[in-house]
Amino acid sequence: MRDVLCVPLDEENELVLATDCSGGIGLKQDDVVNVPYDVVGYYGARVAWMELMSIGATPKAFVLQNFVNDHAWHALVAGVQQTMKELQLSLPITGSSESNMPLMQSAVGFVAVGTVRKEEKRINITPTDACWAVIGEPLVGEAVIQKKDRIIPLSLFRTLLQLDGVYEIIPVGSKGIWHEWKLVHGERPLRCSLPLHASAGPATCVLISYDRAQQHFLQSLAGPLFYDFSRERGCPKSQCN
């Protein structure tokens, strides 16, 4: 089960909604992680876009729910716009700001809106002989800021979406790699050098399935961010074992 809502529009198309939220991250005194609001907007929007686009949906618009204050709106929007720039999108943004009740901590909600043709939806389409890997590393909180070089870039994510031989891309969230793996494979064992139960925060890594013929190309494309754990399926030597 993926973190998206698909609503039928007609016999061939579905409306797709993908969401994320952020709490305790911003510039308020009681925030747990202190970063500017454009950074908050960037990473929150990043998750929603990745969830939406990973199933093959075409982005149409973005909704921003700002519980910080009116003054944070423009910075949050700037962060959302940066994600769209990196994904080569130009789409409308709407939303609202809580201006009546002051909160002690920052809070923001993000919704990406799109459409997908039912026959092109990339959910549960991986062949049984496919290889699996993680690209990026699970990071959360301050580590997201301190280890940016270990996060899958949106530019790479966009490239993966367009590659023949990449079947599914599953953004990893706060429940970690093992949670996403289990949704696909049940309790099938998985051994990996990455921390399998660690939160991946704002989708700092993705789980992908792919044709083994693409192994070396994917490794060269992702470099040290590529962690393959498909050795038992006959794929080349992996970093996860």
Side-chain angles (χ1 to χ4, degrees), residues 2-26:
R2 302 290 288 275
D3 295 329
V4 294
L5 176 64
C6 297
V7 181
L9 290 173
D10 52 41
E11 292 183 357
E12 298 181 348
N13 301 285
E14 294 179 336
L15 175 70
V16 183
L17 304 172
T19 70
D20 192 46
C21 62
S22 171
I25 305 174

mmCIF file of all heavy atoms in Angstrom, residues 2-26:
data_model
loop_
_atom_site.group_PDB
_atom_site.id
_atom_site.type_symbol
_atom_site.label_atom_id
_atom_site.label_comp_id
_atom_site.label_asym_id
_atom_site.label_seq_id
_atom_site.Cartn_x
_atom_site.Cartn_y
_atom_site.Cartn_z
ATOM 1 N N ARG A 2 0.633 2.149 -0.948
ATOM 2 C CA ARG A 2 1.438 3.348 -1.076
ATOM 3 C C ARG A 2 0.758 4.520 -0.378
ATOM 4 O O ARG A 2 -0.444 4.509 -0.129
ATOM 5 C CB ARG A 2 1.644 3.660 -2.558
ATOM 6 C CG ARG A 2 2.304 2.528 -3.329
ATOM 7 C CD ARG A 2 3.755 2.342 -2.944
ATOM 8 N NE ARG A 2 4.535 3.430 -3.474
ATOM 9 C CZ ARG A 2 5.031 3.438 -4.719
ATOM 10 N NH1 ARG A 2 4.842 2.433 -5.527
ATOM 11 N NH2 ARG A 2 5.729 4.469 -5.144
ATOM 12 N N ASP A 3 1.558 5.558 -0.060
ATOM 13 C CA ASP A 3 1.035 6.720 0.669
ATOM 14 C C ASP A 3 0.410 7.737 -0.267
ATOM 15 O O ASP A 3 0.759 8.916 -0.261
ATOM 16 C CB ASP A 3 2.157 7.356 1.486
ATOM 17 C CG ASP A 3 2.652 6.427 2.573
ATOM 18 O OD1 ASP A 3 1.848 5.627 3.072
ATOM 19 O OD2 ASP A 3 3.842 6.508 2.911
ATOM 20 N N VAL A 4 -0.523 7.272 -1.096
ATOM 21 C CA VAL A 4 -1.248 8.152 -2.004
ATOM 22 C C VAL A 4 -2.713 7.747 -2.001
ATOM 23 O O VAL A 4 -3.063 6.610 -1.697
ATOM 24 C CB VAL A 4 -0.698 8.087 -3.452
ATOM 25 C CG1 VAL A 4 0.710 8.643 -3.530
ATOM 26 C CG2 VAL A 4 -0.738 6.657 -3.978
ATOM 27 N N LEU A 5 -3.574 8.697 -2.332
ATOM 28 C CA LEU A 5 -4.995 8.425 -2.489
ATOM 29 C C LEU A 5 -5.350 8.597 -3.950
ATOM 30 O O LEU A 5 -5.109 9.659 -4.536
ATOM 31 C CB LEU A 5 -5.816 9.384 -1.629
ATOM 32 C CG LEU A 5 -7.343 9.279 -1.769
ATOM 33 C CD1 LEU A 5 -7.843 7.921 -1.300
ATOM 34 C CD2 LEU A 5 -8.025 10.409 -1.009
ATOM 35 N N CYS A 6 -5.918 7.549 -4.544
ATOM 36 C CA CYS A 6 -6.330 7.594 -5.942
ATOM 37 C C CYS A 6 -7.856 7.556 -6.014
ATOM 38 O O CYS A 6 -8.483 6.623 -5.499
ATOM 39 C CB CYS A 6 -5.740 6.413 -6.705
ATOM 40 S SG CYS A 6 -3.929 6.399 -6.768
ATOM 41 N N VAL A 7 -8.435 8.567 -6.643
ATOM 42 C CA VAL A 7 -9.884 8.699 -6.744
ATOM 43 C C VAL A 7 -10.279 8.622 -8.220
ATOM 44 O O VAL A 7 -9.785 9.416 -9.031
ATOM 45 C CB VAL A 7 -10.357 10.039 -6.146
ATOM 46 C CG1 VAL A 7 -11.881 10.142 -6.231
ATOM 47 C CG2 VAL A 7 -9.878 10.185 -4.709
ATOM 48 N N PRO A 8 -11.151 7.676 -8.595
ATOM 49 C CA PRO A 8 -11.547 7.557 -10.010
ATOM 50 C C PRO A 8 -12.171 8.842 -10.546
ATOM 51 O O PRO A 8 -13.019 9.452 -9.894
ATOM 52 C CB PRO A 8 -12.573 6.414 -9.983
ATOM 53 C CG PRO A 8 -12.256 5.629 -8.756
ATOM 54 C CD PRO A 8 -11.773 6.642 -7.747
ATOM 55 N N LEU A 9 -11.723 9.241 -11.738
ATOM 56 C CA LEU A 9 -12.306 10.387 -12.438
ATOM 57 C C LEU A 9 -13.238 9.912 -13.547
ATOM 58 O O LEU A 9 -14.295 10.472 -13.762
ATOM 59 C CB LEU A 9 -11.211 11.269 -13.028
ATOM 60 C CG LEU A 9 -10.349 12.051 -12.038
ATOM 61 C CD1 LEU A 9 -9.209 12.746 -12.770
ATOM 62 C CD2 LEU A 9 -11.183 13.064 -11.272
ATOM 63 N N ASP A 10 -12.794 8.887 -14.264
ATOM 64 C CA ASP A 10 -13.598 8.251 -15.300
ATOM 65 C C ASP A 10 -13.065 6.838 -15.479
ATOM 66 O O ASP A 10 -12.326 6.337 -14.633
ATOM 67 C CB ASP A 10 -13.552 9.059 -16.611
ATOM 68 C CG ASP A 10 -12.135 9.360 -17.068
ATOM 69 O OD1 ASP A 10 -11.272 8.458 -16.973
ATOM 70 O OD2 ASP A 10 -11.873 10.491 -17.517
ATOM 71 N N GLU A 11 -13.400 6.194 -16.559
ATOM 72 C CA GLU A 11 -12.997 4.805 -16.758
ATOM 73 C C GLU A 11 -11.488 4.646 -16.931
ATOM 74 O O GLU A 11 -10.947 3.571 -16.678
ATOM 75 C CB GLU A 11 -13.720 4.217 -17.972
ATOM 76 C CG GLU A 11 -15.223 4.058 -17.769
ATOM 77 C CD GLU A 11 -15.891 3.405 -18.961
ATOM 78 O OE1 GLU A 11 -15.189 3.126 -19.969
ATOM 79 O OE2 GLU A 11 -17.109 3.158 -18.898
ATOM 80 N N GLU A 12 -10.815 5.696 -17.350
ATOM 81 C CA GLU A 12 -9.398 5.580 -17.678
ATOM 82 C C GLU A 12 -8.476 6.340 -16.730
ATOM 83 O O GLU A 12 -7.282 6.028 -16.662
ATOM 84 C CB GLU A 12 -9.144 6.071 -19.104
ATOM 85 C CG GLU A 12 -9.870 5.263 -20.179
ATOM 86 C CD GLU A 12 -9.569 5.775 -21.566
ATOM 87 O OE1 GLU A 12 -8.980 6.884 -21.669
ATOM 88 O OE2 GLU A 12 -9.911 5.087 -22.546
ATOM 89 N N ASN A 13 -8.978 7.339 -16.002
ATOM 90 C CA ASN A 13 -8.111 8.235 -15.241
ATOM 91 C C ASN A 13 -8.500 8.325 -13.771
ATOM 92 O O ASN A 13 -9.673 8.139 -13.410
ATOM 93 C CB ASN A 13 -8.151 9.634 -15.857
ATOM 94 C CG ASN A 13 -7.701 9.642 -17.302
ATOM 95 O OD1 ASN A 13 -6.516 9.528 -17.593
ATOM 96 N ND2 ASN A 13 -8.657 9.768 -18.219
ATOM 97 N N GLU A 14 -7.498 8.653 -12.951
ATOM 98 C CA GLU A 14 -7.710 8.828 -11.526
ATOM 99 C C GLU A 14 -7.080 10.131 -11.064
ATOM 100 O O GLU A 14 -6.027 10.553 -11.578
ATOM 101 C CB GLU A 14 -7.101 7.670 -10.726
ATOM 102 C CG GLU A 14 -7.768 6.336 -10.976
ATOM 103 C CD GLU A 14 -7.123 5.207 -10.187
ATOM 104 O OE1 GLU A 14 -5.940 5.342 -9.831
ATOM 105 O OE2 GLU A 14 -7.804 4.203 -9.944
ATOM 106 N N LEU A 15 -7.730 10.771 -10.101
ATOM 107 C CA LEU A 15 -7.148 11.904 -9.390
ATOM 108 C C LEU A 15 -6.239 11.337 -8.307
ATOM 109 O O LEU A 15 -6.612 10.398 -7.610
ATOM 110 C CB LEU A 15 -8.250 12.750 -8.765
ATOM 111 C CG LEU A 15 -7.809 13.918 -7.873
ATOM 112 C CD1 LEU A 15 -7.175 15.016 -8.718
ATOM 113 C CD2 LEU A 15 -9.003 14.457 -7.077
ATOM 114 N N VAL A 16 -5.039 11.898 -8.155
ATOM 115 C CA VAL A 16 -4.078 11.393 -7.173
ATOM 116 C C VAL A 16 -3.727 12.495 -6.181
ATOM 117 O O VAL A 16 -3.407 13.626 -6.576
ATOM 118 C CB VAL A 16 -2.789 10.886 -7.855
ATOM 119 C CG1 VAL A 16 -1.839 10.285 -6.814
ATOM 120 C CG2 VAL A 16 -3.117 9.850 -8.923
ATOM 121 N N LEU A 17 -3.781 12.183 -4.894
ATOM 122 C CA LEU A 17 -3.401 13.094 -3.825
ATOM 123 C C LEU A 17 -2.299 12.451 -2.997
ATOM 124 O O LEU A 17 -2.418 11.309 -2.556
ATOM 125 C CB LEU A 17 -4.601 13.403 -2.924
ATOM 126 C CG LEU A 17 -5.840 13.979 -3.606
ATOM 127 C CD1 LEU A 17 -6.998 14.059 -2.625
ATOM 128 C CD2 LEU A 17 -5.545 15.353 -4.178
ATOM 129 N N ALA A 18 -1.225 13.195 -2.788
ATOM 130 C CA ALA A 18 -0.119 12.719 -1.953
ATOM 131 C C ALA A 18 0.203 13.799 -0.929
ATOM 132 O O ALA A 18 0.253 14.987 -1.258
ATOM 133 C CB ALA A 18 1.113 12.427 -2.810
ATOM 134 N N THR A 19 0.394 13.406 0.325
ATOM 135 C CA THR A 19 0.539 14.393 1.387
ATOM 136 C C THR A 19 1.766 14.155 2.250
ATOM 137 O O THR A 19 2.330 13.066 2.297
ATOM 138 C CB THR A 19 -0.696 14.379 2.316
ATOM 139 O OG1 THR A 19 -0.702 13.158 3.077
ATOM 140 C CG2 THR A 19 -1.974 14.473 1.519
ATOM 141 N N ASP A 20 2.154 15.213 2.944
ATOM 142 C CA ASP A 20 3.165 15.118 3.990
ATOM 143 C C ASP A 20 2.886 16.243 4.984
ATOM 144 O O ASP A 20 2.113 17.172 4.690
ATOM 145 C CB ASP A 20 4.578 15.241 3.414
ATOM 146 C CG ASP A 20 5.639 14.856 4.445
ATOM 147 O OD1 ASP A 20 5.466 13.828 5.114
ATOM 148 O OD2 ASP A 20 6.628 15.592 4.596
ATOM 149 N N CYS A 21 3.499 16.170 6.150
ATOM 150 C CA CYS A 21 3.343 17.231 7.135
ATOM 151 C C CYS A 21 4.656 17.412 7.891
ATOM 152 O O CYS A 21 5.517 16.530 7.899
ATOM 153 C CB CYS A 21 2.211 16.929 8.119
ATOM 154 S SG CYS A 21 2.455 15.451 9.119
ATOM 155 N N SER A 22 4.795 18.564 8.497
ATOM 156 C CA SER A 22 6.011 18.911 9.242
ATOM 157 C C SER A 22 5.604 19.557 10.553
ATOM 158 O O SER A 22 4.752 20.453 10.577
ATOM 159 C CB SER A 22 6.859 19.879 8.399
ATOM 160 O OG SER A 22 7.933 20.394 9.155
ATOM 161 N N GLY A 23 6.193 19.110 11.653
ATOM 162 C CA GLY A 23 5.898 19.694 12.951
ATOM 163 C C GLY A 23 7.152 19.842 13.793
ATOM 164 O O GLY A 23 8.016 18.964 13.793
ATOM 165 N N GLY A 24 7.276 20.973 14.475
ATOM 166 C CA GLY A 24 8.442 21.191 15.326
ATOM 167 C C GLY A 24 9.712 21.494 14.563
ATOM 168 O O GLY A 24 10.814 21.379 15.103
ATOM 169 N N ILE A 25 9.564 21.898 13.311
ATOM 170 C CA ILE A 25 10.722 22.227 12.472
ATOM 171 C C ILE A 25 10.515 23.633 11.925
ATOM 172 O O ILE A 25 9.530 23.895 11.215
ATOM 173 C CB ILE A 25 10.892 21.227 11.322
ATOM 174 C CG1 ILE A 25 10.982 19.797 11.854
ATOM 175 C CG2 ILE A 25 12.120 21.578 10.488
ATOM 176 C CD1 ILE A 25 11.004 18.738 10.764
ATOM 177 N N GLY A 26 11.404 24.552 12.257
ATOM 178 C CA GLY A 26 11.251 25.931 11.805
ATOM 179 C C GLY A 26 12.030 26.883 12.678
ATOM 180 O O GLY A 26 13.099 26.528 13.198
#
